[in-house]
Amino acid sequence: MRALRAPMPSAAQLEAEQDRLSCGGLADLGFCAKDLAQLAALTWRINALKALRKAVIPGHVYQRPEILVGVADFIGDSYKLAKLCAETKAAAIVFCGVRFMAETAKILSPEKTVLLPAAGAGCSLSESITAADVRRLKAAHPGAPVAAYINTSAEVKAEVDVIVTSANAERILRRLYAKQPKVVFVPDEMMGRNLAASLGKKLGEELVIWKGSCIVHDKFDAFSIALYRKAYPGVRILAHTECSPALVALVDFVGGTGDMMAYVEKTRAPYYMLVTECGLGELARTRFPEKNFVFMCRLCPYMKMTDLRAVLRVLEDPSPSVRVEVPAETAARAKAAVRRMFELAEDTVKL
Ligand code: SF4
């Protein structure tokens, strides 16, 4: 792919783009006319260049709202984005998320060009474990299947039996336990502890876990929950599965980001509080403007590294330094573990 300059919009096109961003929910989030005019100049050019490149932009729900409203072709959690990236016919994928997600897209679609706008967009969970750590765990627990959270590097995925996401971890582990008395789950300690509680498994014996943590979700304080309930009578509190068991025990619903959005959509309550990264609350406000949201959220520094300028930059100059590559042998083994997740999560395979 050679370097290309994005076309420039006319005044009328710019005005229409500004209206689109405003109606898409950015005005409700407090973006003023001056902000919207500046954003529109970028989103219009990105969308024009995206069409010329035959590219798609997946946006994780934790991304900045101007990315999700302005340029994302599909929005979702890790599971949904992995599936859609595998299915897209586009020639290039500009991944607005973090590195392990872009790597998963490359693993599933090795023939496509995958671009990561923010090279430093990592993840504390993904960085908490290496392929060598997994090999040591396998040697210490022979015969036990190893399930890895999708928040792991391609090298780690290549070493494990199956990948899981927050939306399907419990379901997939139940299926593994139907055949095996012991399962190894990596790398999120909090999620591992929550899984052990919901599955009724003994930690360390039936469920072996790792000590990785998400720097966003492990900071939420269980003691604040009672204060919020008092301040907002009737509030429904939803927490991500990466939060601590102490907090999870006090909330109304626990799940992945997709499950949390579905819960908000299907229920009626005077207030909702989403205990997760702040991007989900912003997205919920644009999707459900008639509902009230109370915020106990934290920003993920990795997720917020991507901005519109970086997206435009990689589309204009998709040089090797911004392309995501995974060695073929690693990709093939990692793909088998991701495919296994799709099969087990969707019941298309018998164990
Ligand atoms: S929110 Fe946590 S798990 Fe998600 S990318 Fe950030 S550090 Fe990783």
Side-chain angles (χ1 to χ4, degrees):
M1 281 173 122
R2 64 193 170 84
L4 267 182
R5 288 287 289 169
M8 296 299 284
S10 66
Q13 286 168 326
L14 207 52
E15 199 177 318
E17 181 68 353
Q18 198 172 327
D19 285 347
R20 186 181 74 84
L21 297 181
S22 177
C23 298
L26 294 191
D28 289 337
L29 292 180
F31 286 79
C32 66
K34 193 171 157 215
D35 297 333
L36 291 172
Q38 284 173 354
L39 295 174
L42 287 165
T43 56
W44 191 94
R45 296 182 73 203
I46 290 169
N47 287 325
L49 193 48
K50 184 172 72 174
L52 287 174
R53 293 276 195 210
K54 298 188 174 26
V56 288
I57 301 185
H60 188 268
V61 291
Y62 294 161
Q63 289 287 292
R64 295 167 188 262
E66 63 268 29
I67 288 179
L68 299 183
V69 171
V71 299
D73 294 290
F74 35 88
I75 298 170
D77 56 13
S78 306
Y79 184 81
K80 183 174 172 188
L81 296 184
K83 279 218 84 162
L84 291 170
C85 284
E87 289 163 8
T88 180
K89 299 274 182 286
I93 296 170
V94 182
F95 212 109
C96 290
V98 295
R99 182 166 292 276
F100 76 81
M101 297 175 180
E103 280 185 352
T104 307
K106 185 68 184 175
I107 288 164
L108 291 169
S109 306
E111 73 290 356
K112 291 173 192 145
T113 301
V114 177
L115 305 170
L116 184 63
C123 166
S124 64
L125 270 177
S126 176
E127 284 147 28
S128 71
I129 190 163
T130 65
D133 293 327
V134 178
R135 286 194 289 273
R136 278 191 286 273
L137 278 169
K138 288 200 289 193
H141 304 280
V146 182
Y149 193 22
I150 198 165
N151 299 34
T152 42
S153 66
E155 292 76 23
V156 166
K157 286 187 176 76
E159 292 293 335
V160 305
D161 298 293
V162 61
I163 300 303
V164 302
T165 68
S166 46
N168 60 35
E170 188 176 324
R171 176 180 175 77
I172 290 178
L173 261 62
R174 273 189 204 285
R175 298 205 64 193
L176 297 178
Y177 278 117
K179 290 277 174 190
Q180 304 284 344
K182 188 201 274 188
V183 172
V184 177
F185 171 74
V186 296
D188 189 355
E189 180 187 357
M190 295 302 167
M191 198 168 160
R193 289 182 180 279
N194 289 326
L195 282 167
S198 58
L199 293 166
K201 299 295 174 187
K202 241 184 167 161
L203 271 177
E205 290 177 26
E206 295 166 299
L207 184 63
V208 176
I209 60 172
W210 188 250
K211 277 211 166 297
S213 69
C214 162
I215 54 166
V216 172
H217 292 95
D218 75 350
K219 303 281 187 310
F220 289 116
D221 169 17
F223 297 107
S224 311
I225 297 292
L227 300 177
Y228 278 100
R229 287 208 190 278
K230 206 166 170 197
Y232 298 95
V235 63
R236 294 278 178 93
I237 304 181
L238 290 67
H240 196 276
T241 47
E242 291 166 17
C243 293
S244 72
L247 187 143
V248 159
L250 300 175
V251 302
D252 302 299
F253 179 81
V254 186
T257 53
D259 305 315
M260 291 162 93
M261 290 293 265
Y263 182 98
V264 171
E265 185 173 14
K266 286 184 194 139
T267 57
R268 291 179 72 178
Y271 306 100
Y272 293 90
M273 187 164 87
L274 309 181
V275 185
T276 186
E277 210 275 347
C278 302
L280 192 73
E282 287 169 333
L283 184 64
R285 279 174 67 198
T286 64
R287 293 229 173 124
F288 312 111
E290 74 289 0
K291 301 201 177 198
N292 298 315
F293 293 92
V294 176
F295 285 92
M296 178 161 98
C297 71
R298 293 179 65 87
L299 293 171
C300 171
Y302 303 111
M303 282 285 180
K304 293 331 193 216
M305 279 181 188
T306 307
D307 61 17
L308 290 172
R309 287 185 193 285
V311 177
L312 181 59
R313 211 163 38 236
V314 298
L315 272 167
E316 287 193 329
D317 183 12
S319 60
S321 65
V322 295
R323 290 188 207 159
V324 175
E325 303 293 352
V326 179
E329 197 258 345
T330 306
R333 291 168 59 210
K335 187 174 185 172
V338 178
R339 286 269 166 226
R340 192 81 174 146
M341 168 180 73
F342 291 143
E343 291 164 359
L344 289 179
E346 289 163 23
D347 249 341
T348 56
V349 71
K350 295 273 171 279
L351 277 173

